[in-house]
Amino acid sequence: MDPTCANRWLRRVLRACILVVMLVAPLVGQAQTVLPLPSGVRNVAGAVRAIVVQEDGRVVLGGSFSAIDGVPRSNLARLNADGSVDIGWNPGTDGTVLSLTATATTIYVGGFFDHVGGQARTSIAAVDSASGAVLDWNPGTPGTLASFVLALANDGTTVYAGGAFQAMGGEARANLAAIDANTGAVREWNPSVQGFITSTVQGLVLAGGKVIVGGLFDHVGGEPHPLLASIDASSGVVDAWAPAFDALAFGVQALATDGQTLYISGDFFEIDGESHPGLAAIDLGSHQVTAWSPELTGTVSSLAVSGAHVYAGGRLAESGGGPTDAGVVELAASDAAIIGWHPSLEGDDVNAIAFDAGHVHLGGQFTRANGSSTGGYARLDAGSAALDGSPQVAALASVEAMAVQPDGRVVIGGRFTEVGGVERSNIARLEADGSVDASWNPGADRAVHALALHDGTVFAGGSFLTIAGQGRWGLAAIDGGTGAALAWNPAGTASAVYALLASGGQLYVGGTFTKMQAANHRNFAAFDLASGNVLPWAIDADALVRAIAATPTRVYFGGQFGTVAGQPRSRLAAIDATNGALDAWNPAADSPVLALAVAGDTVYAGGYFSQMNALPRAGFAAMDAVDGSLQAWNPIVGGSAVALSTSGTHLYAGGYFRTAPELPWRSVAAFDLATSTLTPWSVDLDSGAASLTLAGDAVFVGGGFEHVNGQLHVGIVALSVSDDAIFADGYDGAD
């Protein structure tokens, strides 16, 4: 199961519960003072994953976004021909839209969602093209976490859907189905798409009476057809044609056709014995691979054909000195020559390409186009590549990491493009008075998930490739005074870092990686802070390390792993802080551990688990720091804790949880360490808390929320700590 999809599902369910409870349960207790901080973080970085241009020039966008040009839109929107938001068209979905196809009267929508326009629709739906009203058309896929529709196409009478599902409209259909475009009834057409372990249809096009599918699979219709197949659109009979990919090939990602030639991209090096790394063209008449072979560097995740030109989008650059941030290139369909059409995109993939008479429409996960903050959509002049009438596509911002410097300034990291109206890319610093530090601006090209401080240095971990203008793959050291990147650069290959801790003269790093400083270190590593060198400890974890805590003698870490240093350790482990030897400490969690904190002789854990040491523990657990035995403390009866921090007297928790059956859902809570009891103090957010830290008289909370106790505080809020050990509910709402 894709953990990102699972997280989105959990967030939707729990957010709904929080909102319902907030409507029926009044806040109690006296107000808590809100410290001065900016009005919040903003993210002009919404992702657009599907685009349809209608006959009248209006453009339907689908993806993962919350607003367009400041107009609220939930993952599905339409733009007028001039690029403005169509105010009257607003179906909206509660999850990501991954695919679109259209007839003259209907827009068909596929993705990972449960509702469209407030109506129950699982992964696939239809809306009226004129009004945006949700239609009765409702084939539906099973409501499982792993089901989604990734590709759609139609011929006017039939809608073909591909993705990851095992049923459609109550009928068994493995990843591919044909649906009546008018009634929503699933047709008998059923060429099952299967894989040895997993299978997904990622691309789908119609040409010459055939349905051509590409993806990650090895059999279609019961016959061997790895990664690519052609199926009769009427009968469902699979053509014998089965191109041979190289042994290392791992999927076809995108397809496009002009009716005579099929263009494909994906993770492959050869087709039918000919070298075509990641991109190729196949003659549909002869099924022969052509000589068409562009010289591109990177990965192509979207393809489109317009006349004599082929557009390739993704995370790529041209070979031979072309722009390194191209994101999309225009190629001659005749000889694969690169055309001089060069928009400049900053950020991540281009996932969708569409055309009208004078424009090329791009959708993706980028943040800027031709120097302007656009989010993941750009409308470009087809001739000059100039930006033309592109609105800003925004997503909910999220603060995922915070660190308070000794002078009271706060470093924040996450997914955002603005802080308090000041442009900042995923990392920023706030002055002690809450204003944005104007001079400290490293900037990261992708999310920052973790922060740690040591002796004037800010260590940042995340999924970024560059930070402060320097190439740093997921891990970097930044001057705490100037914001400049330091020379330290241990991650030599693509890494994602989710946990950092500076303790006892060492920096501990957790995430998803295989090497540090050219040495094998899988998902966990330790560095000597004096020299910057990685320690030669053999602490390989077989999956993600997400949380780290330490005492002077032990280092505790949690995540999704099942083994550490070759020994069974179910999502929790400990090592000796002096030599890295694996400790016998071994409380086993049944699901991922996302947060850890140590207070005295107790280790507190938060996460998605429901059991610890085979005993019921819903999202929270406390273990003896020496022998790992489970303590009786068990306050959580539903949800999960994803952030923990301790003071001398209290444990603070952030996430999505309920602390007693009769209490409302909470996002932040405090526990008295002396008595192990819940204090009356709580903070109600309209989404969960993703990060939490303490400094002096403040509790800083970060996440993807927009409101705190009904007041606008986007992504970050600071609450004062009173002199009393027991806090009160709520806060005064003053900015």
Side-chain angles (χ1 to χ4, degrees):
M1 181 178 66
D2 183 348
T4 301
C5 289
N7 290 348
R8 286 197 298 266
W9 172 84
L10 179 65
R11 177 172 171 170
R12 291 203 304 271
V13 171
L14 293 176
R15 178 189 294 167
C17 294
I18 291 169
L19 290 174
V20 169
V21 172
M22 286 178 68
L23 289 174
V24 300
L27 298 174
V28 296
Q30 80 181 50
Q32 198 69 29
T33 302
V34 175
L35 299 178
L37 278 178
S39 57
V41 294
R42 183 168 177 259
N43 200 12
V44 185
V48 172
R49 299 182 179 274
I51 304 172
V52 165
V53 179
Q54 296 183 265
E55 293 179 357
D56 61 4
R58 289 187 285 190
V59 181
V60 179
L61 306 179
S64 179
F65 49 82
S66 60
I68 299 181
D69 272 353
V71 179
R73 286 295 183 269
S74 182
N75 309 314
L76 186 62
R78 186 164 71 178
L79 306 179
N80 295 312
D82 63 1
S84 63
V85 179
D86 187 334
I87 301 300
W89 200 92
N90 185 22
T93 72
D94 63 351
T96 301
V97 173
L98 300 171
S99 51
L100 296 168
T101 190
T103 65
T105 60
T106 306
I107 307 294
Y108 299 93
V109 184
F112 182 83
F113 48 77
D114 299 313
H115 293 81
V116 179
Q119 304 296 313
R121 297 290 188 273
T122 304
S123 301
I124 189 167
V127 299
D128 183 83
S129 63
S131 67
V134 180
L135 302 178
D136 291 337
W137 193 89
N138 184 20
T141 64
T144 63
L145 295 181
S147 296
F148 54 87
V149 172
L150 188 57
L152 290 171
N154 82 88
D155 61 7
T157 61
T158 302
V159 176
Y160 298 92
F165 50 83
Q166 293 303 306
M168 183 71 71
E171 303 290 337
R173 294 292 185 271
N175 306 309
L176 184 63
I179 308 159
D180 188 290
N182 295 312
T183 68
V186 176
R187 300 195 188 280
E188 293 184 2
W189 189 88
N190 185 21
S192 177
V193 177
Q194 302 283 4
F196 176 67
I197 297 176
T198 185
S199 54
T200 306
V201 171
Q202 298 179 188
L204 189 159
V205 295
L206 307 181
K210 305 291 184 181
V211 178
I212 304 172
V213 295
L216 176 59
F217 50 80
D218 52 35
H219 282 73
V220 180
E223 298 295 328
H225 287 276
L227 312 187
L228 188 64
S230 176
I231 308 159
D232 188 276
S234 298
S235 67
V237 174
V238 183
D239 293 344
W241 171 62
F245 291 87
D246 57 277
L248 297 178
F250 193 71
V252 168
Q253 189 165 357
L255 303 174
T257 183
D258 60 5
Q260 284 75 47
T261 303
L262 175 70
Y263 300 92
I264 70 171
S265 69
D267 297 314
F268 53 81
F269 295 96
E270 295 181 356
I271 304 178
D272 290 340
E274 297 184 24
S275 177
H276 288 278
L279 193 58
I282 299 168
D283 184 277
L284 286 175
S286 65
H287 285 156
Q288 298 297 308
V289 180
T290 74
W292 192 84
S293 187
E295 294 184 3
L296 301 177
T297 301
T299 59
V300 174
S301 50
S302 56
L303 291 168
V305 183
S306 178
H309 297 150
V310 178
Y311 293 80
R315 191 180 301 179
L316 52 85
E318 300 173 15
S319 298
T324 58
D325 60 351
V328 63
V329 293
E330 183 183 18
L331 307 165
S334 57
D335 59 6
I338 297 172
I339 311 299
W341 185 83
H342 295 304
S344 176
L345 306 179
E346 299 175 28
D348 220 318
D349 283 3
V350 171
N351 300 120
I353 307 171
F355 311 98
D356 62 27
H359 300 101
V360 180
H361 302 263
L362 303 179
Q365 294 165 269
F366 49 87
T367 58
R368 299 170 69 87
N370 291 350
S372 298
S373 293
T374 59
Y377 169 75
R379 186 173 81 162
L380 303 166
D381 185 274
S384 67
L387 195 64
D388 186 359
S390 285
Q392 286 191 333
V393 180
L396 291 178
S398 177
V399 174
E400 301 180 16
M402 296 181 289
V404 182
Q405 295 181 298
D407 60 4
R409 291 187 286 189
V410 183
V411 180
I412 64 172
R415 305 170 191 269
F416 50 80
T417 57
E418 293 179 6
V419 180
V422 179
E423 187 171 301
R424 288 292 184 269
S425 181
N426 301 316
I427 185 169
R429 184 165 70 179
L430 309 178
E431 301 283 5
D433 65 0
S435 61
V436 178
D437 187 327
S439 63
W440 200 88
N441 186 20
D445 65 338
R446 292 177 178 85
V448 173
H449 304 302
L451 294 166
L453 305 177
H454 175 74
D455 195 24
T457 298
V458 177
F459 292 96
S463 51
F464 50 82
L465 301 180
T466 64
I467 194 166
Q470 303 297 315
R472 298 289 187 272
W473 293 52
L475 183 59
I478 302 166
D479 188 292
T482 67
L486 302 180
W488 186 73
N489 185 18
T493 59
S495 303
V497 171
Y498 289 91
L500 291 172
L501 177 68
S503 176
Q506 292 163 355
L507 177 70
Y508 302 102
V509 181
T512 56
F513 49 83
T514 57
K515 291 182 180 292
M516 287 291 172
Q517 288 181 337
N520 292 329
H521 290 278
R522 189 179 180 193
N523 302 324
F524 186 93
F527 293 86
D528 178 75
L529 282 167
S531 66
N533 293 328
V534 68
L535 298 174
W537 295 353
I539 322 169
D540 286 356
D542 66 351
L544 168 70
V545 172
R546 181 67 182 270
I548 307 172
T551 67
T553 58
R554 271 193 181 139
V555 180
Y556 305 90
F557 54 98
Q560 294 178 330
F561 50 83
T563 66
V564 176
Q567 300 299 312
R569 291 292 187 274
S570 183
R571 302 170 179 95
L572 277 171
I575 58 172
D576 188 287
T578 58
N579 58 24
L582 184 65
D583 197 273
W585 191 85
N586 186 19
D590 66 343
S591 288
V593 172
L594 306 179
L596 291 171
V598 179
D601 59 359
T602 302
V603 177
Y604 295 92
Y608 293 147
F609 51 84
S610 59
Q611 290 188 346
M612 187 72 70
N613 276 349
L615 295 174
R617 291 294 186 271
F620 252 32
M623 292 80 63
D624 187 281
V626 177
D627 62 20
S629 59
L630 192 64
Q631 296 185 0
W633 185 68
N634 185 19
I636 305 299
V637 297
S640 59
V642 300
L644 297 173
S645 188
T646 60
S647 67
T649 58
H650 288 78
L651 171 73
Y652 300 89
Y656 316 81
F657 47 77
R658 191 194 299 275
T659 51
E662 70 279 4
L663 293 179
W665 287 90
R666 296 187 175 195
S667 296
V668 182
F671 299 89
D672 189 301
L673 288 175
T675 63
S676 296
T677 57
L678 177 71
T679 75
W681 183 79
S682 70
V683 182
D684 289 311
L685 314 180
D686 61 358
S687 185
S691 55
L692 188 150
T693 193
L694 306 175
D697 194 48
V699 179
F700 294 89
V701 181
F705 51 85
E706 291 185 279
H707 294 85
V708 180
N709 289 357
Q711 302 296 319
L712 186 66
H713 285 277
V714 183
I716 184 169
V717 67
L719 301 163
S720 69
V721 176
S722 71
D723 293 334
D724 297 327
I726 305 299
F727 298 149
D729 278 311
Y731 81 116
D732 65 7
D735 287 327

